[in-house]
Every structure is written in C-alpha cells, then in structure tokens.
Amino acid sequence: MSTVVTSRPPLLFNTHIRPGEIWRDNASHPINAHGAGFLHHEGITYWYGEHKIDGEAGNAAHVGVRVYASRDLLNWSNEGVALAVSKDPAHELTAGCIIERPKVIFNACTARFVMWFHLEPAGAGYEGARSGVAVADTPAGPFTYLGSLRPNAGIWPDTVASEQRLPLSAAESVRLASMELPGGPVPYYPKQLLFRRDFSGGQMARDMTLFVDEDGAAYHVYSSEENGTLHISLLSEDYLRPSGRYARIFPGCFNEAPALFKYEGRYFMITSGCSGWAPNQARVSVADSIWGPWEELGNPCLGDGWQTATTFDAQSTYVLPVPEKPGAFIFVADRWRPSNASDGRYVWLPIRFRHGVPVIEWNAEWDLGIFD
Ligand code: GAL
C-alpha cells in the first residue's frame, strides 16, 4: 500500500514552482524523476520518472522508475521505486539498460495501474527501440514487469493505402541498407520504406507518451521509423498491448518527446525535434480526431532567443492537467544534463491559450493561482 500523504508536515514547504531550480521533496532531497509522467488518482497526483544516478552513467537505468505523490503539485513525498531494475544480467531490465519516459495510466475495468516506457536492452545503444509494460494494483507499485515488445507487428497502419501494404522488395532492402539513418533529419529520409521494413518484427518505438481519452480509450504515442515518424496506437481494453489500430503522423518530420492533451474537444500535441539531449524548438499540433488529420501550428514558446530556440533549454515530456481547474494545463519538460544525469532539472510552465492556440511563456517563479 502507498504511504502517501503525510501525516507529518514536510521539512520544507515549497510555495512556488521555480523552473530549472532544484526541486526538493518533503524530506529535502532533490526530486529524482526525469522524463516524467503523471497520474491523478483519488485526490493524489503521482509523479513517475527515470531515477538518474550521478555522472554520465546516469543516462542508463541503475535504479528504475521512481514515484512521488502530492496533493498540491508543489510538495512531493518520495514513494519509492515503482519499477526496479534487476540484478540478474539475463533480465531485460538488468541494471545498465535504458528505461525512459515512463507513463502510468489507470484501467477502470481491471482496476490495475499500467506502466509503459521506452526500453533499450543493456549494451545495444538505442537500437532496440522497444516498449516495456508493467502493472500494479496500487499507484506507487511496486510494478510487475510483463515484458517488452515492438508495437504492431504484422499490422498495417490505418493511414496506408492498400497498394503500399507490401513487404520491401529486394531492391528496396538494398537501398535501405545503404542509407545512414542517424535518428535525426536527413534529406534522403525514406518516408515509405521503414514501416514496411518493420512490418513483421514490429514498429520501432522510442520517445513515447500515453494518453487516455474521455471515453476510456488509451493511446500509445511514440517516435517510430528511426525517429522520423510518429505513431498513434490504440491500446487494448486492458491497456496491456496494442489493439491493432494505429496511424502514422507527420512522416519525415522527426518529432520526439510527445505530450498530448485535450482542450475544448480538440487534441493538442507538443513535441520536440530530434537533437538527442541537446534542446531544440518545440512544436505544437492540433487535430479534431486523434487519428488526424493533424495540423502543425508552429512553436508554442514565446520570448526571446534561447527561450523560443531551445524550449527554455528543455524538452517536453508531459502536459499535466491541473486537478479541479478545468482548462488549466502545465507544460512539463526536462533540462537534461547528460554529463551528470542526476542534475537534470524540471521546467514546469503554465500553458495559456491565445485564440485557441496553446502558448508557453517563461516564468521564473509561479504558483497555481496563475490559473485563477
Ligand atoms: C532524446 C530523447 C531522450 C533520450 C535522448 C538520448 O532525444 O528525447 O529521451 O532518448 O534523446 O540521446
């Protein structure tokens, strides 16, 4: 059972959100939960994220997914390790694997908490491009690891015409094998080959998020096809596997770090470009149906120089709807520090809407009263 919610007063009260500053938990330790995802459940908000150790080694997983809990989004109690790495070198979650961007959703039918995350087996860089799945009966876990997959093996995307539903020809395979695909934009990016190459083994899935719609349908959104194309994939009713319906979004546009939210019946998605740990310009897109068509609206960040060019020196991970404040959303991003991973910082900023379009402005110190 979760021990959440403090009968003892915290040692230190956070009264404001200070983007980029060290954010301390109720025991005065820096919060260690990067690439975060959030879950509101029974009056408590849970913050899940990558626990990072010091130094460059911290770019891989040595502890697992940590979880914090809060009733006010300012003061957080450390609820422990929700999903632990394994000491067994043969285990997929062995220490030194890569666990990124964990997201947790609650399935009302099964009454289980379901975690998805980007998994790279140890020692193989980012070649695995797999999705890990874990479940728990309580929000803070511990979660039980179910295994990993590459989504949608043997299934054609919705948006692909029947004449393109073909395995690669021998000539196409040779052409593809000769291309260098570094995970970022290249002029020769083959928009129509990669999902076909990966048809039988499953689609690549790196940066990811989960989104639960008002009707309870849950979606897994991930950077696929060597990071060049996003996929939106409907999960099964128990949220444990892909349902077999998915769409390709913005082929060849290289979107990472997807964060989805719904405002006044429309779907919005904030993403970054692909430049590894180094920040770049955010983009926001909108759609009336989650299946698209999606329209790109440009950079949601306002301000000067570094603020618009580097998303406030950060990269999106989640858009957090503020409990009990309909229409209030917080942009949650990571300021990565790959040379000393544990020193990565959190950049939380309020989202405003101008003529129905989300915008984000720098604010060095703010509180939830900003939404009143
Ligand atoms: C970023 C990605 C991070 C991590 C990093 C590794 O682009 O958003 O989650 O994978 O690359 O270089």
Side-chain angles (χ1 to χ4, degrees):
M1 279 296 285
S2 155
T3 52
V4 175
V5 201
T6 73
S7 38
R8 277 177 300 140
L11 297 178
L12 168 131
F13 271 118
N14 295 314
T15 55
H16 292 85
I17 291 168
R18 295 191 177 91
E21 301 296 317
I22 288 177
W23 192 338
R24 294 187 184 276
D25 67 13
N26 291 347
S28 217
H29 300 300
I31 291 176
N32 194 337
H34 309 261
F38 297 82
L39 175 75
H40 301 307
H41 188 75
E42 296 181 345
I44 296 168
T45 302
Y46 296 86
W47 172 348
Y48 303 87
E50 308 158 24
H51 177 112
K52 291 194 180 280
I53 64 167
D54 298 346
E56 271 184 55
N59 297 316
H62 297 277
V63 175
V65 176
R66 187 165 289 282
V67 54
Y68 295 83
S70 174
R71 286 189 186 271
D72 64 4
L73 307 188
L74 283 169
N75 295 288
W76 296 87
S77 60
N78 182 352
E79 296 297 309
V81 177
L83 178 71
V85 298
S86 170
K87 291 195 179 92
D88 174 358
H91 195 283
E92 252 191 328
L93 297 189
T94 193
C97 72
I98 291 174
I99 295 176
E100 288 182 344
R101 299 180 180 272
K103 305 288 179 268
V104 174
I105 54 182
F106 176 65
N107 188 293
C109 298
T110 61
R112 291 171 108 189
F113 299 84
V114 181
M115 179 190 291
W116 285 67
F117 54 92
H118 170 197
L119 172 68
E120 296 292 345
Y126 280 85
E127 289 308 303
R130 301 183 71 80
S131 305
V133 185
V135 287
D137 295 327
T138 53
F143 282 70
T144 304
Y145 182 59
L146 297 183
S148 77
L149 50 80
R150 271 195 171 192
N152 294 310
I155 297 162
W156 292 110
D158 252 28
T159 34
V160 166
S162 47
E163 60 273 18
Q164 285 179 336
R165 299 184 174 205
L166 293 172
L168 293 186
S169 66
E172 285 171 326
S173 299
V174 169
R175 187 150 74 85
L176 199 47
S178 71
M179 284 180 197
E180 201 186 327
L181 296 168
V186 284
Y188 49 84
Y189 178 74
K191 283 188 201 169
Q192 302 305 339
L193 298 187
L194 295 165
F195 70 91
R196 292 168 49 211
R197 177 194 69 186
D198 293 335
F199 174 75
S200 44
Q203 300 294 324
M204 298 177 80
R206 291 194 182 122
D207 279 12
M208 56 145 282
T209 194
L210 299 178
F211 173 76
V212 183
D213 210 339
E214 286 146 312
D215 60 1
Y219 300 85
H220 177 208
V221 180
Y222 50 90
S223 299
S224 193
E225 304 181 34
E226 307 285 353
N227 293 349
T229 303
L230 285 168
H231 289 185
I232 297 188
S233 170
L234 176 67
L235 294 181
S236 57
E237 283 182 9
D238 60 9
Y239 300 168
L240 297 180
R241 55 191 65 81
S243 71
R245 180 171 185 199
Y246 71 111
R248 302 173 70 225
I249 308 291
F250 298 131
C253 292
F254 285 86
N255 287 284
E256 275 195 328
L260 245 92
F261 63 108
K262 196 172 184 182
Y263 174 66
E264 294 189 339
R266 311 188 84 196
Y267 300 85
F268 290 91
M269 177 163 50
I270 299 180
T271 55
S272 71
C274 296
S275 51
W277 299 117
N280 57 53
Q281 256 184 41
R283 308 141 186 199
V284 62
S285 310
V286 66
D288 290 327
S289 157
I290 197 155
W291 298 114
W294 284 85
E295 181 195 351
E296 199 189 307
L297 301 173
N299 187 345
C301 303
L302 303 179
D304 45 59
W306 70 279
Q307 299 179 330
T308 56
T310 69
T311 314
F312 314 102
D313 191 12
Q315 186 183 30
S316 44
T317 184
Y318 202 80
V319 171
L320 175 61
V322 180
E324 283 151 47
K325 290 194 191 237
F329 297 93
I330 301 173
F331 173 67
V332 177
D334 291 284
R335 191 171 280 177
W336 304 115
R337 289 289 175 266
S339 58
N340 185 19
S342 62
D343 194 35
R345 305 294 174 84
Y346 315 108
V347 172
W348 290 33
L349 290 166
I351 294 181
R352 309 302 217 156
F353 292 89
R354 289 210 185 142
H355 311 293
V357 174
V359 293
I360 309 165
E361 276 178 294
W362 179 250
N363 194 330
E365 182 177 284
W366 61 282
D367 61 39
L368 300 183
I370 205 164
F371 294 113
D372 295 337

